[in-house]
Amino acid sequence: FGCEDPEHGLNAALHAKEETRRLDAETHELRQRLLESDLRALSASSLLPDGSRFAAAFIESEDTKHYRAVCEAAAAGEKIPVMMAVAGGQSISLIFMRPKGDGPDFGKCLRELTSRFGGKGGGSPVSAQGMIPRSAEAEEEIRHMFKEFCGR
């Protein structure tokens, strides 16, 4: 900390620790607000012409963890089935989640994509996650699948 006397160094370290705690709390609050905002946007886009709900999104981002949390909140809290592709770098992360009960077999959908494009992943009919190498053909197939599920 660039301090010559130990007491000044201790005070500087305590101040740095307190500042780190403050910034961590601020970061947590901002992440929560971003999650809520993204959830609202996903929910707003999920209303289908027949009145049912289904969300599908292809997103350019490296933050798969954040979008997994958005999908979990949509499926569990909002009761909205979600198919999301998060494309970042050389791969596409696939996150498919829905409320329990009747609905598409997301595990099967994911296995079809991962086997076709040399990816990996797995899951159940209710929740499936995986990753495939990024390619124009894979992106086109994913967008086509999303369009079929949403009927638009």
Side-chain angles (χ1 to χ4, degrees):
F1 293 104
C3 305
E4 290 184 19
D5 87 69
E7 187 173 327
H8 188 259
L10 178 60
N11 287 337
L14 291 173
H15 175 72
K17 187 174 183 177
E18 185 56 39
E19 182 66 6
T20 299
R21 281 191 194 132
R22 186 188 68 75
L23 291 172
D24 285 346
E26 187 176 327
T27 300
H28 176 75
E29 174 64 27
L30 290 171
R31 283 187 179 141
Q32 187 62 36
R33 288 171 49 194
L34 178 61
L35 174 67
E36 291 167 2
S37 175
D38 285 345
L39 180 58
R40 279 192 305 273
L42 188 67
S43 180
S45 73
S46 71
L47 188 59
L48 301 179
D50 68 0
S52 64
R53 300 185 81 105
F54 195 102
F58 193 101
I59 296 171
E60 296 283 340
S61 176
E62 297 280 341
D63 195 356
T64 302
K65 183 178 177 182
H66 167 73
Y67 286 104
R68 184 179 304 114
V70 172
C71 290
E72 288 170 353
E78 301 289 319
K79 306 296 185 205
I80 300 169
V82 182
M83 297 180 89
M84 189 175 288
V86 182
Q90 300 299 313
S91 64
I92 302 171
S93 294
L94 303 166
I95 308 163
F96 302 166
M97 296 182 178
R98 66 172 175 81
K100 292 181 180 179
D102 291 337
D105 184 340
F106 281 160
K108 180 180 175 186
C109 295
L110 182 98
R111 284 188 296 278
E112 288 172 4
L113 278 174
T114 56
S115 68
R116 180 168 177 197
F117 293 103
K120 60 182 180 175
S124 70
V126 177
S127 176
Q129 298 177 55
M131 187 177 294
I132 59 174
R134 191 169 187 176
S135 70
E137 182 184 0
E139 289 185 27
E140 184 178 327
E141 179 68 25
I142 291 166
R143 291 178 195 278
H144 177 72
M145 177 186 274
F146 288 1
K147 192 180 254 188
E148 279 186 9
F149 271 96
C150 291
R152 30 179 160 155

